[in-house]
Amino acid sequence: MQSLLHSVAMLLALVLIALVGTGSSFVLQRNSASMMAIDRSQSSKLSTSRVSASAGHRASTKLQMMEVLECDVAIVGGGPAGCTCALYTSRADLSTIILDKNPAVGALAITSHIANYPGVDRSMSGSELLEQMKVQAVQYGTRYERAQVFMIDVEDPSADEDNPYTKVVYTPDYTVKARALVLATGAMGRAAPPFPGEEKYLGQGVSYCATCDGAFYRDAEVAVFGATTEAMEEAMFLTKFASMVHWITSIDISACMPKEGSKVECNNVLDPELLEQLLDMENVKHWPKTRFMGVEGDASGVTGVKIQKMYMDKAEVIPVEGAFIYGAGGGSKPITDFVQNKVELDDNGGVIVSEDMETSVKGVFAIGDIRNTAYKQVVVAAADGCIAAMSVEKFLKGRKMVKVDWIHK
């Protein structure tokens, strides 16, 4: 969910993108094993189209260059559903890119041991299984990118027969144009009741995406609430803009600092090295053992966050202009904020799909826990990915029947 000003800024960016065109856009090489080695530095050697975009909110920001990537299939989410889908689409010789916000925060990634996935030893951790899935997809040609998706645009292919790239995905760094789009962001969204003031000031200083809105708070003070790796990464990103980042955690997270001879076993959703790096930042103030009580503001937006230290009787207010709120340990709400009602959702927030995993928009598919299925299991998510991939291949090739497998040399 973006602020109104941020949405206006993105519309300006879209106008610029339309003016530049896609003639020199980077086109993914199809099904090449060499794509394993492609990273951000290497891709700069290839032909790209860059577009300037600007945004303003309380302070001016520098022009940002936006790279345009074209591919057959764009997959938002790098969990078991997304990786399985990518494996199959890459084997089908469809250029595929996975956009994954953070491989360490998904439901599978924070699972300590896998005990019910067929053929996998129960001593294997969820993160190890996920890494194997990702590597396998990349070996067959998938391009994997760490990226926060904050908006999509989707059209029925029949709306513009001259333009095959009718699915557009926006990230802070680049725009991805695809012929088919797969939504696989899972259901780790925070399902807890909102804090006082959270909904009121959503889009007016309250945000769930630092990479989307961080540049709006240049030289301002902001607050980040949450004791997860995701919250730490978002707080670290904000240090590039904010004059002070107030990081609020309900636990004494410093106990997870890597110490010689320490026997403290930390929650596996935390990254000790990132924790140490964050706490060493000069513009970060950590508030441990502190309750997050709510958000305060006025007609201009957020003016502060209300907190209470667990050993104090009275609450206090930290003056800030932005409040970034993350769940402590995640939730079970389908992550669809970036979808912005471009596809139909059910009453519980899950994406509605057909038996082919296709959404209400032709060429857009949804798989895994984002469907809000009651069967939240790795094997079910992987099965969804397989079904969607075959459906994508059928859709793009104009087949009447799905093709079970593809010969791959």
Side-chain angles (χ1 to χ4, degrees):
M1 299 182 184
Q2 311 302 315
S3 66
L4 178 60
L5 289 176
H6 183 237
S7 298
V8 171
M10 283 309 306
L11 287 175
L12 293 175
L14 295 180
V15 172
L16 290 173
I17 291 173
L19 291 174
V20 172
T22 60
S24 60
S25 299
F26 166 64
V27 180
L28 289 175
Q29 296 179 359
R30 294 173 182 266
N31 207 27
S32 169
S34 64
M35 294 178 71
M36 286 186 64
I38 293 180
D39 57 21
R40 298 312 305 271
S41 61
Q42 289 172 312
S43 63
S44 64
K45 301 175 183 178
L46 303 172
S47 175
T48 61
S49 171
R50 294 185 175 273
V51 186
S52 296
S54 62
H57 179 71
R58 296 183 175 90
S60 62
T61 61
K62 294 180 180 179
L63 290 178
Q64 298 179 347
M65 306 305 290
M66 297 180 68
E67 182 181 355
V68 179
L69 310 179
E70 291 180 353
C71 61
D72 293 323
V73 187
I75 301 173
V76 184
C83 286
T84 302
C85 185
L87 169 63
Y88 274 79
T89 55
S90 294
R91 279 176 53 84
D93 203 23
L94 299 173
S95 57
T96 302
I97 180 170
I98 290 177
L99 301 170
D100 192 15
K101 176 184 177 182
N102 189 340
V105 300
L108 177 58
I110 65 173
T111 301
S112 58
H113 294 90
I114 300 296
N116 55 3
Y117 192 85
V120 171
D121 188 274
R122 62 183 180 180
S123 65
M124 177 179 287
S125 68
S127 59
E128 290 172 334
L129 176 59
L130 187 58
E131 180 64 19
Q132 287 191 10
M133 291 179 171
K134 182 178 71 176
V135 168
Q136 190 176 16
V138 171
Q139 286 176 337
Y140 276 106
T142 297
R143 175 170 175 172
Y144 176 93
E145 289 286 346
R146 286 286 300 275
Q148 166 71 54
V149 173
F150 58 84
M151 188 170 69
I152 62 173
D153 274 332
V154 295
E155 291 183 3
D156 189 299
S158 61
D160 188 356
E161 296 181 356
D162 295 330
N163 175 28
Y165 301 103
T166 55
K167 315 298 183 285
V168 186
V169 183
Y170 300 97
T171 80
D173 299 316
Y174 44 75
T175 300
V176 177
K177 295 187 176 183
R179 298 168 61 204
L181 174 63
V182 181
L183 309 177
T185 46
M188 287 291 288
R190 196 165 62 81
F195 292 101
E198 179 180 347
E199 291 183 321
K200 180 178 180 180
Y201 294 106
L202 185 61
Q204 301 181 61
V206 172
S207 174
Y208 306 128
C209 177
T211 53
C212 303
D213 300 328
F216 299 157
Y217 300 94
R218 191 180 298 277
D219 300 324
E221 294 195 24
V222 300
V224 176
F225 172 69
T228 64
T229 294
E230 179 185 27
M232 289 192 293
E233 287 195 333
E234 298 287 81
M236 181 63 74
F237 182 87
L238 287 166
T239 60
K240 297 189 293 184
F241 304 98
S243 60
M244 180 61 67
V245 177
H246 297 272
W247 182 32
I248 303 164
T249 63
S250 57
I251 63 173
D252 184 9
I253 204 168
S254 62
C256 292
M257 289 278 288
K259 301 174 183 177
E260 186 175 354
S262 175
K263 296 183 180 179
V264 177
E265 183 176 350
C266 297
N267 190 320
N268 61 356
V269 303
L270 301 177
D271 183 335
E273 294 183 0
L274 178 60
L275 171 60
E276 184 175 24
Q277 184 182 2
L278 180 61
L279 294 179
D280 284 342
M281 298 296 293
E282 293 182 355
N283 60 337
V284 171
K285 182 176 181 179
H286 183 211
W287 297 74
K289 294 184 178 180
T290 302
R291 295 187 180 93
F292 189 93
M293 309 294 287
V295 181
E296 297 191 351
D298 55 26
S300 67
V302 170
T303 59
V305 293
K306 189 176 183 179
I307 63 167
Q308 182 176 353
K309 296 179 180 178
M310 293 184 181
Y311 49 85
M312 300 292 288
D313 295 331
K314 294 183 179 180
E316 60 181 298
V317 175
I318 305 174
V320 297
E321 295 182 29
F324 294 79
I325 303 174
Y326 302 94
S332 58
K333 182 181 179 181
I335 301 174
T336 58
D337 293 3
F338 68 98
V339 176
Q340 299 178 323
N341 297 319
K342 297 295 175 64
V343 298
E344 290 185 7
L345 308 178
D346 62 26
D347 293 338
N348 296 315
V351 180
I352 300 174
V353 298
S354 68
E355 62 179 9
D356 293 330
M357 300 297 158
E358 192 168 32
T359 69
S360 56
V361 178
K362 194 169 184 61
V364 180
F365 302 80
I367 53 179
D369 291 353
I370 196 174
R371 300 193 296 115
N372 206 29
T373 173
Y375 307 101
K376 292 180 172 63
Q377 297 293 312
V378 181
V379 69
V380 174
D384 281 4
C386 171
I387 294 170
M390 292 184 177
S391 300
V392 166
E393 197 270 349
K394 173 187 171 185
F395 163 72
L396 293 179
K397 297 295 178 65
R399 303 184 191 278
K400 293 183 179 180
M401 302 288 292
V402 298
K403 194 170 183 179
V404 177
D405 203 353
W406 303 271
I407 298 175
H408 186 85
K409 296 181 180 180

